[in-house]
Amino acid sequence: MIDKTIANRYEFMVLVEATYCNPNGDPDMGNLPRQNLDTGHGIITDVAIKRRIRNYVEDAFPEQNILMRSGTNLNRKIAEAVMAVNECKDLKNIKKGEKQEESQNWMCEKYWDVRTFGGVLSTGRNAGQIRGAVQVAMATSVDPITVEDMTITRMCYVDKDFNTLEEFDDLDAKTDEDTKRTMGNKKVTPYGLYIVKGSISASLAEKTGFSENDLSKLWEAILQMYNHDISASKEGMSVISPLIIFKHVGTQNNNNDEKIREAKLGCAPAQMLFGLLDVHKKDDVEFPRKFDDYRVSFKASEIPEGVEVGFKYLPFKDVEWNTDNLLDHGFEVV
């Protein structure tokens, strides 16, 4: 079966909640949860979201290569691509940037995250820049978040380094028990409900080779990105299903060529589609601390012509192209 590149434009969105955790620490602010300095709304960067998607795909689909891994030497990977397309094992006679387009195609074919998210490959031997089919925006919280800086106790200690175990033991014996405990800090937000938004270009998919199979992996990874890639600071992170998928299918039912063109380019602005989801805290809630403190409405009556809306509730189940089960997941349909 041939894995075809996608032929439709998509937008997608999903809710993510954070409960007593650090959704995305800012190293420039002492690792405090990221916030808009003017409004206090929480922020999760696009790169943080894509990192977790990559991590899931790498573990769940071992046959898929991931370029942007921790500690990767990108210049070596670029050199590998240039060598492959020039059919050589030595780059001393190859000009920088030679066969750049072929090198880009090689990288797209080999690496799932390159054909999905793109990449800046202009360092080293210069394979240019690839615009990925999938673009993810920075996620922002529905309401301003509060931040707590907690002092925690570590029941262990670190001190001088020694050459023998006996020296370590001697220090331990001489050290008062009360001074063996050290203090630290943990930065968390009590609660935040974030909206993740993204878009997928069929035109760019043609160039990178982003396929229907790649798309299926993306949907699964979004729903699983916090369940799988867990850590102490992210233990309270959770994706609220369903993942909402807007698929552009075209309006010209009597003109197939034009309908295909519309489906590829899109039939409605992204912001119009994102506006179909309305999320705000309930009137009797002052400090939201759980998903049920919000009223979430989907405006099914305002879906524009030429767009179908799907809902993916579980990572290993198909997308449902109707609103039948939204009520069971705490969504209102209006």
Side-chain angles (χ1 to χ4, degrees):
M1 181 177 178
I2 299 175
D3 189 13
K4 297 181 179 179
T5 57
I6 63 169
N8 303 77
R9 178 177 173 83
Y10 291 88
E11 267 75 40
F12 61 88
M13 61 193 309
V14 72
L15 298 174
V16 171
E17 69 172 351
T19 305
Y20 272 103
C21 62
N22 190 337
N24 188 198
D26 186 348
D28 290 329
M29 299 292 287
N31 207 42
L32 289 170
R34 294 182 187 272
Q35 283 182 285
N36 181 298
L37 296 180
D38 294 321
T39 67
H41 286 77
I43 298 170
I44 304 175
T45 63
D46 55 319
V47 291
I49 295 168
K50 290 186 288 187
R51 176 73 274 150
R52 278 163 179 80
I53 292 173
R54 285 186 175 98
N55 289 350
Y56 179 81
V57 171
E58 182 177 13
D59 288 342
F61 305 99
E63 73 281 5
Q64 299 295 323
N65 294 305
I66 299 296
L67 175 65
M68 300 296 181
R69 301 172 61 195
S70 178
T72 295
N73 184 337
L74 290 179
N75 283 353
R76 185 191 185 283
K77 298 294 185 180
I78 295 168
E80 181 185 13
V82 175
M83 287 180 183
V85 300
N86 284 283
E87 299 180 346
C88 65
K89 295 183 179 181
D90 190 323
L91 295 175
K92 62 183 179 181
N93 295 319
I94 304 297
K95 295 180 181 179
K96 187 173 182 178
E98 191 166 333
K99 292 191 176 181
Q100 188 177 99
E101 184 175 350
E102 292 90 336
S103 299
Q104 291 179 4
N105 294 338
W106 190 92
M107 296 288 272
C108 286
E109 184 175 350
K110 181 169 183 176
Y111 296 107
W112 182 88
D113 57 333
V114 174
R115 60 180 177 271
T116 302
F117 300 126
V120 178
L121 309 175
S122 53
T123 57
R125 283 288 166 166
N126 191 3
Q129 298 187 29
I130 299 172
R131 291 177 60 198
V134 180
Q135 299 299 324
V136 180
M138 289 193 182
T140 56
S141 63
V142 176
D143 291 305
I145 63 171
T146 56
V147 174
E148 296 182 8
D149 190 353
M150 300 179 175
T151 300
I152 57 176
T153 303
R154 181 170 64 173
M155 302 304 293
C156 303
Y157 71 101
V158 293
D159 209 311
K160 298 178 181 178
D161 193 22
F162 297 104
N163 295 318
T164 67
L165 296 181
E166 287 76 12
E167 290 176 291
F168 283 105
D169 293 338
D170 183 59
L171 174 67
D172 196 58
K174 295 178 180 178
T175 303
D176 185 78
E177 290 296 323
D178 289 338
T179 63
K180 291 181 180 180
R181 294 189 296 270
T182 56
M183 310 303 288
N185 297 89
K186 196 176 185 71
K187 286 89 170 175
V188 300
T189 179
Y191 189 81
L193 185 64
Y194 295 75
I195 302 179
V196 176
K197 301 175 183 178
S199 62
I200 306 175
S201 167
S203 298
L204 291 175
E206 279 187 349
K207 299 176 182 179
T208 69
F210 183 78
S211 67
E212 293 288 347
N213 189 261
D214 292 327
L215 182 67
S216 177
K217 291 180 174 64
L218 176 69
W219 297 152
E220 180 181 324
I222 291 173
L223 285 173
Q224 291 279 72
M225 61 182 175
Y226 288 112
N227 292 339
H228 179 75
D229 189 18
I230 202 67
S231 65
S233 67
K234 303 294 182 290
E235 180 63 37
M237 300 294 295
S238 179
V239 173
I240 303 294
S241 67
L243 168 65
I244 303 173
I245 301 166
F246 303 98
K247 181 179 182 180
H248 298 258
V249 296
T251 64
Q252 301 295 321
N253 294 325
N254 297 323
N255 186 333
N256 191 57
D257 289 342
E258 183 61 23
K259 186 175 183 179
I260 291 173
R261 177 176 177 272
E262 290 180 354
K264 178 180 177 181
L265 298 176
C267 302
Q271 286 307 114
M272 177 186 293
L273 301 177
F274 294 144
L276 296 178
L277 186 70
D278 180 47
V279 185
H280 59 270
K281 64 184 179 182
K282 295 176 180 177
D283 294 338
D284 59 344
V285 174
E286 184 176 2
F287 301 109
R289 289 295 181 265
K290 58 184 184 299
F291 177 65
D292 288 343
D293 289 337
Y294 284 88
R295 181 174 179 266
V296 183
S297 303
F298 183 74
K299 304 172 187 177
S301 60
E302 298 181 19
I303 299 173
E305 184 183 6
V307 177
E308 294 180 353
V309 184
F311 304 91
K312 189 171 178 65
Y313 296 96
L314 295 169
F316 308 123
K317 295 292 185 179
D318 292 336
V319 177
E320 297 181 14
W321 297 96
N322 56 66
T323 60
D324 294 350
N325 291 314
L326 271 183
L327 293 176
D328 295 335
H329 287 76
F331 285 56
E332 298 179 3
V333 181
V334 296

